[in-house]
Amino acid sequence: MKTRRLTELAMLTAVALIIFVVELQIPNPFPIPGVKLGLANIITVYAVYHYRAGEVMLIVFVRVFLGSLFGGVMSALAYSLAGSVCCLAGMLLLRKVIEEKYIWISSVFGAVLHNIGQIAMAVLITQTPGVIAYLPFLLVSGCLAGAFTGICAQLVLRRLSGKHR
């Protein structure tokens, strides 16, 4: 990997991590575990359409690991990784059929897949199938958060390309 490319990946990872840490400071108005905006995913959505699969995986896995470390919640690492793997797999497949101008749609699907991965991991860890009862709430919040982060990624892409409409 060339130095320039590695530097770009490191910068994207750092920006995503900063966004993640800032978002941790925002109180969660919802009493449901796992509901959040996921603003760091703006970087992920952008990266999915502009970098190779392995490079995007590096960005996401480093952010998830360091985010768990910096956030002081290493127990959440398994949930975050499960969600991230599902999200990435889905979004990397979707980028072949969803054009970049509809990146927000890919983001919504990614958020839904992330929630499904988290719930699957919760069922495995807790051995409590009743955890699935959270899924409808997470799917609704995931669709809303995914649309928001996808629209933000769309705006970033427009800004970077010079199209200010």
Side-chain angles (χ1 to χ4, degrees), residues 8-133:
E8 287 176 18
L9 296 175
M11 290 295 289
L12 287 172
T13 304
V15 170
L17 191 56
I18 290 167
I19 293 170
F20 176 81
V21 170
V22 168
E23 187 178 1
L24 283 177
Q25 304 308 309
I26 301 169
N28 187 354
F30 304 102
I32 301 166
V35 173
K36 65 180 202 162
L37 277 176
L39 297 174
N41 291 318
I42 294 168
I43 304 301
T44 303
V45 174
Y46 166 79
V48 162
Y49 279 83
H50 291 271
Y51 291 89
R52 294 189 299 264
E55 295 169 336
V56 181
M57 285 184 228
L58 276 173
I59 292 169
V60 171
F61 293 144
V62 169
R63 178 188 47 91
V64 166
F65 178 74
L66 291 177
S68 295
L69 192 65
F70 292 166
V73 190
M74 288 305 288
S75 60
L77 183 61
Y79 301 104
S80 295
L81 280 176
S84 295
V85 166
C86 290
C87 173
L88 269 179
M91 286 181 62
L92 289 169
L93 290 171
L94 285 172
R95 77 178 177 182
K96 297 178 186 312
V97 293
I98 296 176
E99 295 177 45
E100 188 175 303
K101 66 182 178 179
Y102 301 111
I103 201 169
W104 67 273
I105 296 171
S106 183
S107 180
V108 170
F109 279 109
V112 166
L113 291 169
H114 184 87
N115 291 140
I116 290 169
Q118 283 182 313
I119 288 293
M121 183 57 73
V123 169
L124 284 173
I125 289 174
T126 65
Q127 297 293 307
T128 310
V131 171
I132 294 173

